[in-house]
Amino acid sequence: MANDLTNSYKTGPDENGRFGIFGGRFVSETLMPLILDLEAEYERAKTDDSFWAEMDFLWKHYVGRPSPLYFAERLTDHLGGAKVYMKRDELNHTGAHKINNVLGQIILARRMGKTRIIAETGAGQHGVATATVCAKFGLKCVVYMGAHDVERQKPNVFRMKLLGAEVIPVTSGRGTLKDAMNDALRDWVTNVRDTFYCIGTVAGPHPYPAMVRDFQSIIGKEAKEQMMEAEGRLPDTIIAAIGGGSNAMGLFFPFLDDKEVRIIGVEAGGKGVNEKMEHCASLTGGRPGVLHGNRTYLLQDADGQILEGFSISAGLDYPGIGPEHSWLHEVGRAEYVAITDAEALEAFKLCCEMEGIIPALEPSHALAHVMKIAPDLPPDHIICMNMCGRGDKDIFTVARALGWDMGQL
Ligand SMILES: Cc1ncc(COP(=O)(O)O)c(C=O)c1O
């Protein structure tokens, strides 16, 4: 049971897909048989050695895992406190952690005989990963993307098209990830027979949050082994950025029962966590409600209407958060903080200049929090942050934010 904290934080979700009061399966009658089929297939795959053998093979030879654990020496010296390590998931094929999960879901889709894959995407990284794996297996791929995100993540839209995917811009709402997910769910209900919905984060109805977490847990599993090799012990603090929360759950999950390890999730503070809601910090500034098939913390107004939220980072621009994070927050196992756009940009620049790594804007939020706490921690304190994506997709956004004219370089 997810509520049984006597032994382990890793026992959730319960048989109804709940982490405490969060999660569950709030879907229409039409979707229910599809969700149940998926759950049954995943349950079979979980204990099937041939499923994991295929995953391990492709993680190694197609994705390039294990990703390195890297000691950021110059950054550590510069900050003058704790030792900073980066889990380099930006080095994966396609440039982010998203492909870890996509591989798992598409192998499941193939086992279920599905030939058409749909996905939603915000920053475009999940869309690119889905288009990539679909191309590899010769599957039709349709990606829903908010029109605003299509505009600000153009390089990824082009990549998806090169990979043979159809990208459908979504103009409802503010044209961001929430709206893309609504349309993807609508597509799924309409095309039940041949279509598999590949969700890109630890959200959606059960079994998605747990399934995506399980696929992404490779990040934390490797980080744990690599840290033992590098330092002979576990890190003191682990930190990751949160959109829906999949890279963070992936890093956190294997450490949940190592109670001496401090766990910090970093939400998008946008222009500041204020009453105008110009941020996307669902735990820091939201309250529980139901969206996209699960109960979790959401940005909403007094009437329970979902608010749009705001962040410079397209991948963090989601007004909800995975239900397991809501639960970890409520039981106090993980802490959640917010970092503003301006702080993330500072971290982005510092990482480029100090480490020769151009980070995505999403992990720049995690790095900004590292920059905040590391100077006050002793030199034997070890921090491990998840560098979950590379910044190629963000160069136009960053140029605009810094006032650089790309035509005048
Ligand atoms: C590089 C990167 N990091 C983080 C995220 C946020 O997703 P999640 O919180 O599910 O890891 C995204 C989403 O697009 C992303 O592209």
PDB file of all heavy atoms in Angstrom, residues 373-407:
ATOM      1  N   ILE A 373      22.255  26.507  -2.977  1.00  0.00           N
ATOM      2  CA  ILE A 373      22.548  25.834  -1.691  1.00  0.00           C
ATOM      3  C   ILE A 373      24.006  25.403  -1.541  1.00  0.00           C
ATOM      4  O   ILE A 373      24.505  25.309  -0.419  1.00  0.00           O
ATOM      5  CB  ILE A 373      21.608  24.629  -1.445  1.00  0.00           C
ATOM      6  CG1 ILE A 373      21.795  23.533  -2.500  1.00  0.00           C
ATOM      7  CG2 ILE A 373      20.152  25.069  -1.404  1.00  0.00           C
ATOM      8  CD1 ILE A 373      21.045  22.239  -2.140  1.00  0.00           C
ATOM      9  N   ALA A 374      24.699  25.135  -2.667  1.00  0.00           N
ATOM     10  CA  ALA A 374      26.051  24.558  -2.562  1.00  0.00           C
ATOM     11  C   ALA A 374      27.026  25.431  -1.763  1.00  0.00           C
ATOM     12  O   ALA A 374      27.796  24.898  -0.954  1.00  0.00           O
ATOM     13  CB  ALA A 374      26.605  24.256  -3.957  1.00  0.00           C
ATOM     14  N   PRO A 375      27.023  26.765  -1.966  1.00  0.00           N
ATOM     15  CA  PRO A 375      28.029  27.575  -1.257  1.00  0.00           C
ATOM     16  C   PRO A 375      27.941  27.463   0.263  1.00  0.00           C
ATOM     17  O   PRO A 375      28.944  27.625   0.953  1.00  0.00           O
ATOM     18  CB  PRO A 375      27.716  29.013  -1.714  1.00  0.00           C
ATOM     19  CG  PRO A 375      27.019  28.857  -3.025  1.00  0.00           C
ATOM     20  CD  PRO A 375      26.226  27.591  -2.904  1.00  0.00           C
ATOM     21  N   ASP A 376      26.752  27.179   0.814  1.00  0.00           N
ATOM     22  CA  ASP A 376      26.612  27.105   2.275  1.00  0.00           C
ATOM     23  C   ASP A 376      26.802  25.697   2.828  1.00  0.00           C
ATOM     24  O   ASP A 376      26.619  25.474   4.030  1.00  0.00           O
ATOM     25  CB  ASP A 376      25.209  27.604   2.681  1.00  0.00           C
ATOM     26  CG  ASP A 376      25.039  29.071   2.337  1.00  0.00           C
ATOM     27  OD1 ASP A 376      26.051  29.799   2.403  1.00  0.00           O
ATOM     28  OD2 ASP A 376      23.918  29.471   1.968  1.00  0.00           O
ATOM     29  N   LEU A 377      27.139  24.755   1.969  1.00  0.00           N
ATOM     30  CA  LEU A 377      27.325  23.374   2.444  1.00  0.00           C
ATOM     31  C   LEU A 377      28.813  23.059   2.518  1.00  0.00           C
ATOM     32  O   LEU A 377      29.618  23.627   1.768  1.00  0.00           O
ATOM     33  CB  LEU A 377      26.615  22.405   1.481  1.00  0.00           C
ATOM     34  CG  LEU A 377      25.080  22.513   1.492  1.00  0.00           C
ATOM     35  CD1 LEU A 377      24.472  21.778   0.297  1.00  0.00           C
ATOM     36  CD2 LEU A 377      24.522  21.954   2.798  1.00  0.00           C
ATOM     37  N   PRO A 378      29.198  22.119   3.413  1.00  0.00           N
ATOM     38  CA  PRO A 378      30.632  21.805   3.562  1.00  0.00           C
ATOM     39  C   PRO A 378      31.185  21.066   2.341  1.00  0.00           C
ATOM     40  O   PRO A 378      30.419  20.447   1.597  1.00  0.00           O
ATOM     41  CB  PRO A 378      30.660  20.906   4.805  1.00  0.00           C
ATOM     42  CG  PRO A 378      29.282  20.376   4.928  1.00  0.00           C
ATOM     43  CD  PRO A 378      28.353  21.373   4.335  1.00  0.00           C
ATOM     44  N   PRO A 379      32.500  21.109   2.149  1.00  0.00           N
ATOM     45  CA  PRO A 379      33.119  20.492   0.956  1.00  0.00           C
ATOM     46  C   PRO A 379      32.936  18.980   0.879  1.00  0.00           C
ATOM     47  O   PRO A 379      33.095  18.405  -0.207  1.00  0.00           O
ATOM     48  CB  PRO A 379      34.611  20.825   1.098  1.00  0.00           C
ATOM     49  CG  PRO A 379      34.739  21.733   2.248  1.00  0.00           C
ATOM     50  CD  PRO A 379      33.463  21.804   2.996  1.00  0.00           C
ATOM     51  N   ASP A 380      32.618  18.336   2.012  1.00  0.00           N
ATOM     52  CA  ASP A 380      32.406  16.882   1.923  1.00  0.00           C
ATOM     53  C   ASP A 380      30.933  16.535   1.675  1.00  0.00           C
ATOM     54  O   ASP A 380      30.558  15.366   1.679  1.00  0.00           O
ATOM     55  CB  ASP A 380      32.934  16.173   3.179  1.00  0.00           C
ATOM     56  CG  ASP A 380      32.197  16.621   4.436  1.00  0.00           C
ATOM     57  OD1 ASP A 380      31.446  17.627   4.352  1.00  0.00           O
ATOM     58  OD2 ASP A 380      32.378  15.983   5.484  1.00  0.00           O
ATOM     59  N   HIS A 381      30.113  17.538   1.430  1.00  0.00           N
ATOM     60  CA  HIS A 381      28.698  17.290   1.097  1.00  0.00           C
ATOM     61  C   HIS A 381      28.609  17.041  -0.410  1.00  0.00           C
ATOM     62  O   HIS A 381      29.132  17.822  -1.202  1.00  0.00           O
ATOM     63  CB  HIS A 381      27.856  18.512   1.478  1.00  0.00           C
ATOM     64  CG  HIS A 381      26.380  18.290   1.354  1.00  0.00           C
ATOM     65  ND1 HIS A 381      25.554  18.087   2.439  1.00  0.00           N
ATOM     66  CD2 HIS A 381      25.562  18.226   0.265  1.00  0.00           C
ATOM     67  CE1 HIS A 381      24.305  17.920   2.031  1.00  0.00           C
ATOM     68  NE2 HIS A 381      24.284  18.003   0.697  1.00  0.00           N
ATOM     69  N   ILE A 382      27.955  15.942  -0.792  1.00  0.00           N
ATOM     70  CA  ILE A 382      27.877  15.603  -2.225  1.00  0.00           C
ATOM     71  C   ILE A 382      26.461  15.850  -2.750  1.00  0.00           C
ATOM     72  O   ILE A 382      25.484  15.327  -2.205  1.00  0.00           O
ATOM     73  CB  ILE A 382      28.244  14.124  -2.451  1.00  0.00           C
ATOM     74  CG1 ILE A 382      29.680  13.859  -1.984  1.00  0.00           C
ATOM     75  CG2 ILE A 382      28.086  13.749  -3.929  1.00  0.00           C
ATOM     76  CD1 ILE A 382      30.049  12.385  -1.984  1.00  0.00           C
ATOM     77  N   ILE A 383      26.410  16.657  -3.834  1.00  0.00           N
ATOM     78  CA  ILE A 383      25.133  16.898  -4.503  1.00  0.00           C
ATOM     79  C   ILE A 383      25.168  16.196  -5.855  1.00  0.00           C
ATOM     80  O   ILE A 383      26.157  16.273  -6.580  1.00  0.00           O
ATOM     81  CB  ILE A 383      24.899  18.407  -4.756  1.00  0.00           C
ATOM     82  CG1 ILE A 383      24.864  19.177  -3.442  1.00  0.00           C
ATOM     83  CG2 ILE A 383      23.610  18.638  -5.547  1.00  0.00           C
ATOM     84  CD1 ILE A 383      24.672  20.683  -3.598  1.00  0.00           C
ATOM     85  N   CYS A 384      24.083  15.531  -6.210  1.00  0.00           N
ATOM     86  CA  CYS A 384      23.973  14.955  -7.551  1.00  0.00           C
ATOM     87  C   CYS A 384      22.730  15.562  -8.207  1.00  0.00           C
ATOM     88  O   CYS A 384      21.617  15.394  -7.708  1.00  0.00           O
ATOM     89  CB  CYS A 384      23.845  13.440  -7.455  1.00  0.00           C
ATOM     90  SG  CYS A 384      23.515  12.660  -9.040  1.00  0.00           S
ATOM     91  N   MET A 385      22.933  16.314  -9.298  1.00  0.00           N
ATOM     92  CA  MET A 385      21.779  16.884 -10.012  1.00  0.00           C
ATOM     93  C   MET A 385      21.620  16.185 -11.356  1.00  0.00           C
ATOM     94  O   MET A 385      22.588  15.690 -11.917  1.00  0.00           O
ATOM     95  CB  MET A 385      21.888  18.400 -10.185  1.00  0.00           C
ATOM     96  CG  MET A 385      23.012  18.962 -11.014  1.00  0.00           C
ATOM     97  SD  MET A 385      22.786  18.983 -12.823  1.00  0.00           S
ATOM     98  CE  MET A 385      21.294  19.901 -13.043  1.00  0.00           C
ATOM     99  N   ASN A 386      20.372  16.148 -11.812  1.00  0.00           N
ATOM    100  CA  ASN A 386      20.122  15.470 -13.084  1.00  0.00           C
ATOM    101  C   ASN A 386      20.187  16.460 -14.236  1.00  0.00           C
ATOM    102  O   ASN A 386      19.324  17.334 -14.361  1.00  0.00           O
ATOM    103  CB  ASN A 386      18.754  14.781 -13.046  1.00  0.00           C
ATOM    104  CG  ASN A 386      18.607  13.777 -14.167  1.00  0.00           C
ATOM    105  OD1 ASN A 386      19.595  13.363 -14.781  1.00  0.00           O
ATOM    106  ND2 ASN A 386      17.392  13.371 -14.453  1.00  0.00           N
ATOM    107  N   MET A 387      21.205  16.316 -15.071  1.00  0.00           N
ATOM    108  CA  MET A 387      21.329  17.136 -16.276  1.00  0.00           C
ATOM    109  C   MET A 387      20.497  16.425 -17.358  1.00  0.00           C
ATOM    110  O   MET A 387      21.019  15.692 -18.190  1.00  0.00           O
ATOM    111  CB  MET A 387      22.812  17.229 -16.666  1.00  0.00           C
ATOM    112  CG  MET A 387      23.087  18.091 -17.874  1.00  0.00           C
ATOM    113  SD  MET A 387      22.440  19.744 -17.746  1.00  0.00           S
ATOM    114  CE  MET A 387      23.575  20.478 -16.575  1.00  0.00           C
ATOM    115  N   CYS A 388      19.177  16.669 -17.296  1.00  0.00           N
ATOM    116  CA  CYS A 388      18.275  15.799 -18.063  1.00  0.00           C
ATOM    117  C   CYS A 388      18.101  16.174 -19.526  1.00  0.00           C
ATOM    118  O   CYS A 388      17.395  15.473 -20.254  1.00  0.00           O
ATOM    119  CB  CYS A 388      16.918  15.741 -17.367  1.00  0.00           C
ATOM    120  SG  CYS A 388      16.191  17.374 -17.207  1.00  0.00           S
ATOM    121  N   GLY A 389      18.729  17.265 -19.976  1.00  0.00           N
ATOM    122  CA  GLY A 389      18.570  17.585 -21.396  1.00  0.00           C
ATOM    123  C   GLY A 389      19.590  18.604 -21.847  1.00  0.00           C
ATOM    124  O   GLY A 389      20.089  19.402 -21.052  1.00  0.00           O
ATOM    125  N   ARG A 390      19.910  18.553 -23.148  1.00  0.00           N
ATOM    126  CA  ARG A 390      20.875  19.529 -23.667  1.00  0.00           C
ATOM    127  C   ARG A 390      20.145  20.725 -24.272  1.00  0.00           C
ATOM    128  O   ARG A 390      18.978  20.648 -24.637  1.00  0.00           O
ATOM    129  CB  ARG A 390      21.824  18.872 -24.661  1.00  0.00           C
ATOM    130  CG  ARG A 390      21.207  18.351 -25.922  1.00  0.00           C
ATOM    131  CD  ARG A 390      22.285  17.785 -26.852  1.00  0.00           C
ATOM    132  NE  ARG A 390      22.536  16.393 -26.555  1.00  0.00           N
ATOM    133  CZ  ARG A 390      22.399  15.410 -27.460  1.00  0.00           C
ATOM    134  NH1 ARG A 390      22.026  15.680 -28.690  1.00  0.00           N
ATOM    135  NH2 ARG A 390      22.644  14.158 -27.132  1.00  0.00           N
ATOM    136  N   GLY A 391      20.885  21.834 -24.370  1.00  0.00           N
ATOM    137  CA  GLY A 391      20.230  23.109 -24.648  1.00  0.00           C
ATOM    138  C   GLY A 391      20.085  23.511 -26.097  1.00  0.00           C
ATOM    139  O   GLY A 391      19.603  24.612 -26.378  1.00  0.00           O
ATOM    140  N   ASP A 392      20.446  22.640 -27.035  1.00  0.00           N
ATOM    141  CA  ASP A 392      20.380  23.040 -28.451  1.00  0.00           C
ATOM    142  C   ASP A 392      19.002  23.616 -28.814  1.00  0.00           C
ATOM    143  O   ASP A 392      18.887  24.587 -29.541  1.00  0.00           O
ATOM    144  CB  ASP A 392      20.638  21.852 -29.383  1.00  0.00           C
ATOM    145  CG  ASP A 392      21.843  21.026 -28.992  1.00  0.00           C
ATOM    146  OD1 ASP A 392      22.151  20.960 -27.783  1.00  0.00           O
ATOM    147  OD2 ASP A 392      22.464  20.443 -29.888  1.00  0.00           O
ATOM    148  N   LYS A 393      17.949  22.980 -28.284  1.00  0.00           N
ATOM    149  CA  LYS A 393      16.585  23.384 -28.613  1.00  0.00           C
ATOM    150  C   LYS A 393      16.251  24.771 -28.072  1.00  0.00           C
ATOM    151  O   LYS A 393      15.286  25.395 -28.518  1.00  0.00           O
ATOM    152  CB  LYS A 393      15.594  22.363 -28.041  1.00  0.00           C
ATOM    153  CG  LYS A 393      15.537  22.381 -26.518  1.00  0.00           C
ATOM    154  CD  LYS A 393      14.634  21.321 -25.944  1.00  0.00           C
ATOM    155  CE  LYS A 393      14.643  21.295 -24.422  1.00  0.00           C
ATOM    156  NZ  LYS A 393      14.270  22.549 -23.766  1.00  0.00           N
ATOM    157  N   ASP A 394      17.030  25.242 -27.093  1.00  0.00           N
ATOM    158  CA  ASP A 394      16.672  26.478 -26.389  1.00  0.00           C
ATOM    159  C   ASP A 394      17.462  27.701 -26.831  1.00  0.00           C
ATOM    160  O   ASP A 394      17.277  28.786 -26.275  1.00  0.00           O
ATOM    161  CB  ASP A 394      16.877  26.289 -24.874  1.00  0.00           C
ATOM    162  CG  ASP A 394      15.883  25.299 -24.295  1.00  0.00           C
ATOM    163  OD1 ASP A 394      14.705  25.359 -24.684  1.00  0.00           O
ATOM    164  OD2 ASP A 394      16.282  24.464 -23.469  1.00  0.00           O
ATOM    165  N   ILE A 395      18.335  27.540 -27.822  1.00  0.00           N
ATOM    166  CA  ILE A 395      19.245  28.665 -28.101  1.00  0.00           C
ATOM    167  C   ILE A 395      18.491  29.924 -28.551  1.00  0.00           C
ATOM    168  O   ILE A 395      18.876  31.028 -28.206  1.00  0.00           O
ATOM    169  CB  ILE A 395      20.361  28.296 -29.105  1.00  0.00           C
ATOM    170  CG1 ILE A 395      19.777  27.682 -30.363  1.00  0.00           C
ATOM    171  CG2 ILE A 395      21.398  27.377 -28.469  1.00  0.00           C
ATOM    172  CD1 ILE A 395      20.812  27.419 -31.447  1.00  0.00           C
ATOM    173  N   PHE A 396      17.385  29.750 -29.274  1.00  0.00           N
ATOM    174  CA  PHE A 396      16.654  30.946 -29.743  1.00  0.00           C
ATOM    175  C   PHE A 396      15.957  31.638 -28.566  1.00  0.00           C
ATOM    176  O   PHE A 396      15.949  32.862 -28.464  1.00  0.00           O
ATOM    177  CB  PHE A 396      15.650  30.564 -30.837  1.00  0.00           C
ATOM    178  CG  PHE A 396      16.331  29.972 -32.053  1.00  0.00           C
ATOM    179  CD1 PHE A 396      16.251  28.609 -32.324  1.00  0.00           C
ATOM    180  CD2 PHE A 396      17.079  30.777 -32.902  1.00  0.00           C
ATOM    181  CE1 PHE A 396      16.904  28.059 -33.414  1.00  0.00           C
ATOM    182  CE2 PHE A 396      17.737  30.231 -34.005  1.00  0.00           C
ATOM    183  CZ  PHE A 396      17.656  28.863 -34.264  1.00  0.00           C
ATOM    184  N   THR A 397      15.376  30.836 -27.680  1.00  0.00           N
ATOM    185  CA  THR A 397      14.709  31.404 -26.498  1.00  0.00           C
ATOM    186  C   THR A 397      15.720  32.149 -25.632  1.00  0.00           C
ATOM    187  O   THR A 397      15.458  33.260 -25.154  1.00  0.00           O
ATOM    188  CB  THR A 397      14.072  30.266 -25.649  1.00  0.00           C
ATOM    189  OG1 THR A 397      13.231  29.502 -26.499  1.00  0.00           O
ATOM    190  CG2 THR A 397      13.288  30.798 -24.478  1.00  0.00           C
ATOM    191  N   VAL A 398      16.890  31.541 -25.441  1.00  0.00           N
ATOM    192  CA  VAL A 398      17.905  32.166 -24.584  1.00  0.00           C
ATOM    193  C   VAL A 398      18.422  33.445 -25.246  1.00  0.00           C
ATOM    194  O   VAL A 398      18.571  34.486 -24.586  1.00  0.00           O
ATOM    195  CB  VAL A 398      19.059  31.184 -24.285  1.00  0.00           C
ATOM    196  CG1 VAL A 398      20.200  31.881 -23.558  1.00  0.00           C
ATOM    197  CG2 VAL A 398      18.548  30.019 -23.442  1.00  0.00           C
ATOM    198  N   ALA A 399      18.645  33.399 -26.570  1.00  0.00           N
ATOM    199  CA  ALA A 399      19.130  34.588 -27.276  1.00  0.00           C
ATOM    200  C   ALA A 399      18.143  35.742 -27.066  1.00  0.00           C
ATOM    201  O   ALA A 399      18.538  36.866 -26.754  1.00  0.00           O
ATOM    202  CB  ALA A 399      19.290  34.291 -28.770  1.00  0.00           C
ATOM    203  N   ARG A 400      16.850  35.440 -27.202  1.00  0.00           N
ATOM    204  CA  ARG A 400      15.823  36.479 -27.035  1.00  0.00           C
ATOM    205  C   ARG A 400      15.843  37.009 -25.593  1.00  0.00           C
ATOM    206  O   ARG A 400      15.832  38.212 -25.371  1.00  0.00           O
ATOM    207  CB  ARG A 400      14.443  35.887 -27.366  1.00  0.00           C
ATOM    208  CG  ARG A 400      13.498  36.895 -28.022  1.00  0.00           C
ATOM    209  CD  ARG A 400      12.209  36.233 -28.483  1.00  0.00           C
ATOM    210  NE  ARG A 400      12.423  35.093 -29.368  1.00  0.00           N
ATOM    211  CZ  ARG A 400      11.960  33.860 -29.138  1.00  0.00           C
ATOM    212  NH1 ARG A 400      11.262  33.587 -28.067  1.00  0.00           N
ATOM    213  NH2 ARG A 400      12.195  32.878 -30.003  1.00  0.00           N
ATOM    214  N   ALA A 401      15.924  36.080 -24.641  1.00  0.00           N
ATOM    215  CA  ALA A 401      15.884  36.494 -23.227  1.00  0.00           C
ATOM    216  C   ALA A 401      17.103  37.347 -22.865  1.00  0.00           C
ATOM    217  O   ALA A 401      17.018  38.244 -22.036  1.00  0.00           O
ATOM    218  CB  ALA A 401      15.802  35.271 -22.324  1.00  0.00           C
ATOM    219  N   LEU A 402      18.248  37.047 -23.493  1.00  0.00           N
ATOM    220  CA  LEU A 402      19.465  37.793 -23.161  1.00  0.00           C
ATOM    221  C   LEU A 402      19.634  39.028 -24.043  1.00  0.00           C
ATOM    222  O   LEU A 402      20.622  39.755 -23.935  1.00  0.00           O
ATOM    223  CB  LEU A 402      20.701  36.883 -23.305  1.00  0.00           C
ATOM    224  CG  LEU A 402      20.748  35.651 -22.384  1.00  0.00           C
ATOM    225  CD1 LEU A 402      22.007  34.837 -22.644  1.00  0.00           C
ATOM    226  CD2 LEU A 402      20.693  36.072 -20.910  1.00  0.00           C
ATOM    227  N   GLY A 403      18.693  39.216 -24.977  1.00  0.00           N
ATOM    228  CA  GLY A 403      18.748  40.389 -25.857  1.00  0.00           C
ATOM    229  C   GLY A 403      19.793  40.272 -26.953  1.00  0.00           C
ATOM    230  O   GLY A 403      20.286  41.287 -27.449  1.00  0.00           O
ATOM    231  N   TRP A 404      20.179  39.044 -27.336  1.00  0.00           N
ATOM    232  CA  TRP A 404      21.132  38.859 -28.426  1.00  0.00           C
ATOM    233  C   TRP A 404      20.379  38.813 -29.745  1.00  0.00           C
ATOM    234  O   TRP A 404      19.331  38.162 -29.831  1.00  0.00           O
ATOM    235  CB  TRP A 404      21.888  37.537 -28.291  1.00  0.00           C
ATOM    236  CG  TRP A 404      22.919  37.524 -27.211  1.00  0.00           C
ATOM    237  CD1 TRP A 404      22.932  38.285 -26.067  1.00  0.00           C
ATOM    238  CD2 TRP A 404      24.079  36.695 -27.144  1.00  0.00           C
ATOM    239  NE1 TRP A 404      24.012  37.967 -25.299  1.00  0.00           N
ATOM    240  CE2 TRP A 404      24.745  36.997 -25.938  1.00  0.00           C
ATOM    241  CE3 TRP A 404      24.617  35.721 -27.981  1.00  0.00           C
ATOM    242  CZ2 TRP A 404      25.927  36.362 -25.553  1.00  0.00           C
ATOM    243  CZ3 TRP A 404      25.786  35.085 -27.592  1.00  0.00           C
ATOM    244  CH2 TRP A 404      26.437  35.408 -26.401  1.00  0.00           C
ATOM    245  N   ASP A 405      20.924  39.470 -30.760  1.00  0.00           N
ATOM    246  CA  ASP A 405      20.327  39.425 -32.086  1.00  0.00           C
ATOM    247  C   ASP A 405      21.052  38.339 -32.877  1.00  0.00           C
ATOM    248  O   ASP A 405      22.226  38.487 -33.222  1.00  0.00           O
ATOM    249  CB  ASP A 405      20.477  40.792 -32.765  1.00  0.00           C
ATOM    250  CG  ASP A 405      19.863  40.797 -34.157  1.00  0.00           C
ATOM    251  OD1 ASP A 405      19.541  39.703 -34.675  1.00  0.00           O
ATOM    252  OD2 ASP A 405      19.724  41.890 -34.722  1.00  0.00           O
ATOM    253  N   MET A 406      20.363  37.223 -33.165  1.00  0.00           N
ATOM    254  CA  MET A 406      21.010  36.084 -33.836  1.00  0.00           C
ATOM    255  C   MET A 406      21.536  36.481 -35.216  1.00  0.00           C
ATOM    256  O   MET A 406      22.477  35.881 -35.724  1.00  0.00           O
ATOM    257  CB  MET A 406      20.031  34.910 -33.972  1.00  0.00           C
ATOM    258  CG  MET A 406      19.656  34.274 -32.658  1.00  0.00           C
ATOM    259  SD  MET A 406      21.013  33.378 -31.899  1.00  0.00           S
ATOM    260  CE  MET A 406      20.492  31.695 -32.118  1.00  0.00           C
ATOM    261  N   GLY A 407      20.931  37.507 -35.833  1.00  0.00           N
ATOM    262  CA  GLY A 407      21.390  37.943 -37.158  1.00  0.00           C
ATOM    263  C   GLY A 407      22.698  38.726 -37.094  1.00  0.00           C
ATOM    264  O   GLY A 407      23.362  38.928 -38.105  1.00  0.00           O
TER     265      GLY A 407
END
